[in-house]
Amino acid sequence: MKIAHQQKLTRRGFLADASLLSVAATLGQRGLLLGGEPAIRRIQRSETPVLLETPLAALERFATPTDLFYVRNHFPVPALQADTWRLRVVGAVERELTLSLDDLRRMTTRSVTMTLECAGNSRSTLNPIVRGVQWGNGAVSTAEWTGVSLIEVLNRAGLRPNAVDVVLEGADRGEIMAEPRSPGVIHFAHSLPIAKARQADVILAHRLAGADVPANHGFPVRVIVPGWYGMASVKWLTRIVVTERPYQGFFQSLDYSIYERSQDLVTVTPLSQMQVKSMIVRPAAQERIAPNTAYRVFGVAWTGESEITRVEVSADAGRTWTAARLLDNARAHCWRQWEFMWRSPAQAGAVTLMARATDARGHVQPMTRDTDRRNYMINHVLPIAVDVR
Ligand SMILES: Nc1nc2c(c(=O)[nH]1)N[C@H]1C(S)=C(S)[C@@H](COP(=O)(O)O)O[C@H]1N2
Ligand SMILES: [Mo]
C-alpha cells in the first residue's frame, strides 16, 4: 500500500524531493487530503464477487464516506431497475403484498445511523489461518441509512399469529463452490426472529448518506439490522417470506454459524449480534514513534444491542490497563470514538499497545480467541506493535 501511495503521489507531482516521500506516505495512510482529493481508497480483496475493505485511515472519521464503505458480496451484483423493482411479501401473512419503489418512498421514512461489521472482520489476524475472506480490520463502516421500518411493511401484510421468522431474500444468486458448498444455485437470504423484525430501527433502506443506495450496497433497497453482524442486512431485497417454522437457510447454518455449548451439548447457532470490540486506529502496526514523546492513541469501539461504557488501553502487552477517554456521547447502534494520551518510553524498542472495550451489559472483550467461533465473530483484543525509535 505504501508503495502504491508513493507512486501515485509522485506521478501527480506533489513531491519536490525524496525527503518528503515518507511524509506523504504517512499522510496518505492517515487519510489527509492532498490537493483536495482523498489520498486513500478501498483495498480490493476480490473482483468477482466484489470485496472491498475500508482502509484503516478512513476509520478516523465517525461516518464512513460512501466511496470508502466496505463491500461484501457473495454473488455478482444483480441488475435491478428502480421502475421495475418490486418487493413481494409472502408466507404467514393475512394478505400477500407487492410494493414498488414509489410505494415504499411514499411511506413514513426513518433514518438510522449504524455501525456495520462483517462477521469475518479481522480474520487475517487469526493464527492458524481459518477459511473465508482474509479481511484485515476494515470490514466495518458507519453510515446513515434512510428507509421504511420493516415492521410497517409487515403490518400492511398483517402478520399471522403463528409467524416465527421473517426471511429476507436478495435478488442476487449463484453457486458457492468453496466448502461448505451450496446445493446448486441459491439466493442470498437471511432471517430475523419476529421480535427483532418488530424493532422500528430495522429498516428497508433506499438511501445511504443522502443519496440512492449504490449498486454495490444493495440498490434500490437493502435491509439494515442495527446491532447485528453484516450478513443480516440483506442487500437487493426483493422478497420477504414470513415462515411458521424456524428458518435454517444456508447462510445461517452451514455458513455464518458458530458452536455454542451448554449442559455438555454442542449446538450450531446462527450469528446474530455483534460482539463488543475495540480497535486501535492510530498508531498503525509497526508505526515508528519517537522516544519520550506525547502520542494520541485513537480508536473506535462498538458492540451489539448495547452501548460502549469503557475502553482501556495497555502499553505493556496487557499487564496494566488505563482508562481511555470516550469522545462524544454514546449513539445507539454506532461505534464510539476514543483517545488515550500516551507518552512513549524513553528507551527505544518494540512496544505492544492493546485496547479493551466493555459494554453496558458488562461484556468485556476477551483476551484470547475462542475456537468455537469457527471463522467468525473475531473480537478478542488485537495487539498493535509499534517501533519506538
Ligand atoms: N443480498 C445480499 N445481501 C448481503 C450480502 C450479499 O452477498 N448479498 N452480504 C452480506 C454481508 S456478509 C455483509 S458483511 C453485508 C455487507 O454490506 P456492504 O457491502 O454494504 O458493506 O451485506 C450483507 N448482505
Ligand atoms: Mo459479512
Side-chain angles (χ1 to χ4, degrees):
M1 282 312 288
K2 205 178 246 175
I3 289 163
H5 283 139
Q6 287 178 0
Q7 286 171 344
K8 198 166 72 191
L9 295 169
T10 310
R11 243 186 286 119
R12 287 181 190 162
F14 286 117
L15 302 168
D17 71 45
S19 70
L20 283 177
L21 265 175
S22 71
V23 176
T26 308
L27 288 174
Q29 285 170 353
R30 291 275 145 263
L32 298 183
L33 301 181
L34 289 176
E37 269 178 68
I40 52 173
R41 56 174 63 193
R42 285 176 293 199
I43 303 150
Q44 181 151 17
R45 300 248 172 244
S46 152
E47 209 168 334
T48 37
V50 178
L51 297 175
L52 296 168
E53 179 166 338
T54 300
L56 194 61
L59 305 182
E60 290 188 33
R61 302 168 68 158
F62 182 81
T64 314
T66 299
D67 60 354
L68 296 176
F69 200 104
Y70 84 94
V71 174
R72 201 299 183 228
N73 297 345
H74 292 77
F75 303 123
V77 174
L80 300 178
Q81 250 95 53
D83 50 350
T84 54
W85 176 87
R86 294 290 182 274
L87 171 62
R88 293 201 303 128
V89 185
V90 301
V93 292
E94 303 298 345
R95 22 178 198 280
E96 299 198 335
L97 284 186
T98 301
L99 298 174
S100 69
L101 191 53
D102 280 339
D103 292 335
L104 215 64
R105 284 178 176 149
R106 273 194 292 268
M107 294 174 70
T108 310
T109 59
R110 190 176 180 104
S111 291
V112 176
T113 303
M114 58 90 91
T115 296
L116 189 68
E117 185 191 17
C118 178
N121 189 29
S122 307
R123 191 177 281 135
S124 68
T125 67
L126 296 182
N127 185 7
I129 291 169
V130 295
R131 75 174 168 81
V133 181
Q134 294 302 304
W135 296 109
N137 294 317
V140 59
S141 299
T142 298
E144 185 194 56
W145 302 85
T146 301
V148 175
S149 291
L150 168 63
I151 188 62
E152 294 241 355
V153 170
L154 293 176
N155 284 343
R156 276 204 185 188
L159 285 172
R160 284 215 220 111
N162 58 348
V164 171
D165 278 346
V166 177
V167 183
L168 309 157
E169 187 185 67
D172 54 329
R173 55 210 287 276
E175 191 167 357
I176 305 280
M177 303 305 285
E179 291 298 332
R181 285 183 69 150
S182 63
V185 172
I186 58 170
H187 282 264
F188 187 88
H190 206 276
S191 72
L192 300 178
I194 293 289
K196 182 69 182 173
R198 282 186 191 284
Q199 291 180 3
D201 280 350
V202 175
I203 61 168
L204 310 185
H206 47 78
R207 307 277 288 169
L208 163 57
D212 286 346
V213 171
N216 265 332
H217 295 289
F219 181 85
V221 176
R222 68 123 16 119
V223 188
I224 283 297
V225 184
W228 283 36
Y229 281 114
M231 76 284 135
S233 292
V234 174
K235 306 194 275 191
W236 310 292
L237 181 71
T238 43
R239 202 160 68 111
I240 296 177
V241 185
V242 181
T243 65
E244 298 172 4
R245 288 193 303 148
Y247 174 70
Q248 294 179 326
F250 179 85
F251 294 101
Q252 57 197 72
S253 56
L254 288 172
D255 215 0
Y256 295 101
S257 63
I258 54 163
Y259 297 129
E260 268 182 6
R261 290 167 200 266
S262 110
Q263 312 255 23
D264 270 340
L265 289 174
V266 180
T267 317
V268 179
T269 308
L271 295 173
S272 56
Q273 282 192 59
M274 295 190 293
Q275 302 294 302
V276 62
K277 181 167 176 174
S278 63
M279 210 164 79
I280 295 174
V281 175
R282 310 189 44 183
Q286 305 309 328
E287 188 169 315
R288 186 177 164 181
I289 297 172
N292 197 26
T293 303
Y295 189 98
R296 178 178 179 261
V297 180
F298 171 86
V300 284
W302 65 93
T303 186
E305 295 168 3
S306 181
E307 62 180 54
I308 293 295
T309 50
R310 188 167 68 220
V311 173
E312 299 152 288
V313 172
S314 170
D316 54 12
R319 274 188 296 279
T320 59
W321 296 86
T322 313
R325 193 163 79 88
L326 298 175
L327 305 173
D328 299 327
N329 295 321
R331 284 182 66 172
H333 320 311
C334 292
W335 58 25
R336 204 154 176 196
Q337 299 179 312
W338 55 265
E339 67 178 13
F340 177 77
M341 292 309 186
W342 178 52
R343 180 156 288 276
S344 60
Q347 271 194 332
V351 172
T352 300
L353 297 170
M354 292 178 175
R356 179 173 72 184
T358 302
D359 72 18
R361 296 170 298 197
H363 293 183
V364 185
Q365 240 184 299
M367 288 300 291
T368 52
R369 174 70 184 159
D370 175 356
T371 53
D372 276 356
R373 291 170 172 199
R374 305 178 66 208
N375 49 338
Y376 294 111
M377 234 159 81
I378 301 146
N379 74 317
H380 60 286
V381 169
L382 298 170
I384 295 285
V386 294
D387 179 19
V388 174
R389 190 147 59 84

